[in-house]
Amino acid sequence: MKSKFATFVSYIFPFLLVITLIIAINNIIELIMLAVVPCIIWLISAKLSGQNWDIEDRNHRLIPLIILTIYGVVISFIFNDLFSKAFLINIIFILIITLFWKISMHCYGLSTLIMLLMYLLKYTNNNYYLIISLIISYSVFLILTIWSRLYLKKHTVLQVVIGTFSGFLVNLIMLKFV
């Protein structure tokens, strides 16, 4: 039962990404380009390399991350906004780390979403309570994700801790300067 729950928690992350971007982005084309297309690229890369969707082998993560970096450069020129720049900066950071070490991209991504929602709080009047609710929910889900990645033995404690804190830190710095 625990194993099924941990697997379920691990599979939920892409849906949380889409929910957050729907709230943040009013442009359906940009939403598709920043959420759906990268997931498709990742899944195709995983399939071609014989990996499951979360690509456990660090070396097999490099090719899709390089493809996503190139894609991110193109997307950031097309949309030239905070979300496309954030996508590119985060993919580049993850690629650089992955060249040397494996971190939990689930935890990195969730902490990134929490930072994005915290940033959006400054600019919203209508969705204030929704965003606060999502920040709290995602924080609880981040704790569950940390547990699930450790329980499923996908990562070490250090990999989930570094993934989580680097997601917060990179995005905090980025949001201050972009």
Side-chain angles (χ1 to χ4, degrees):
M1 185 64 156
K2 278 186 185 179
S3 180
K4 286 183 181 182
F5 180 69
T7 302
F8 172 76
V9 167
S10 286
Y11 278 111
I12 290 296
F13 171 72
F15 301 105
L16 298 179
L17 170 68
V18 172
I19 289 168
T20 304
L21 292 178
I22 286 171
I23 292 167
I25 300 174
N26 295 324
N27 181 337
I28 190 71
I29 301 297
E30 187 174 10
L31 175 65
I32 291 168
M33 300 300 280
L34 289 174
V36 177
V37 173
C39 288
I40 292 170
I41 290 170
W42 190 264
L43 289 172
I44 289 171
S45 297
K47 195 71 163 168
L48 290 175
S49 66
Q51 298 284 306
N52 60 13
W53 70 275
D54 64 354
I55 309 181
E56 293 179 39
D57 185 327
R58 178 185 63 84
N59 292 318
H60 285 101
R61 290 179 173 190
L62 293 174
I63 297 297
L65 287 170
I66 291 168
I67 293 168
L68 287 172
T69 300
I70 295 165
Y71 176 78
V73 169
V74 172
I75 292 303
S76 67
F77 279 116
I78 292 171
F79 294 107
N80 194 28
D81 65 2
L82 171 68
F83 304 108
S84 59
K85 290 175 184 173
F87 176 84
L88 178 59
I89 289 167
N90 282 292
I91 290 296
I92 289 171
F93 180 81
I94 292 169
L95 172 61
I96 291 168
I97 293 295
T98 303
L99 288 171
F100 305 100
W101 198 55
K102 179 181 167 186
I103 62 169
S104 172
M105 292 182 359
H106 281 78
C107 295
Y108 183 96
L110 277 166
S111 58
T112 296
L113 293 179
I114 292 167
M115 282 303 302
L116 174 62
L117 288 165
M118 291 169 75
Y119 178 79
L120 290 176
L121 264 180
K122 294 188 330 187
Y123 300 102
T124 188
N125 295 324
N126 302 339
N127 294 330
Y128 184 80
Y129 292 109
L130 172 63
I131 293 173
I132 289 290
S133 298
L134 286 174
I135 290 169
I136 293 167
S137 300
Y138 285 15
S139 297
V140 169
F141 196 77
L142 176 59
I143 293 165
L144 287 173
T145 300
I146 290 169
W147 167 80
S148 75
R149 303 310 285 167
L150 294 172
Y151 182 82
L152 295 170
K153 295 183 172 53
K154 302 290 184 179
H155 294 285
T156 65
V157 171
L158 193 56
Q159 290 169 338
V160 295
V161 168
I162 298 297
T164 301
F165 286 115
S166 60
F168 280 120
L169 185 61
V170 166
N171 289 282
L172 178 66
I173 293 167
M174 182 211 48
L175 291 169
K176 291 282 187 193
F177 295 105
V178 172

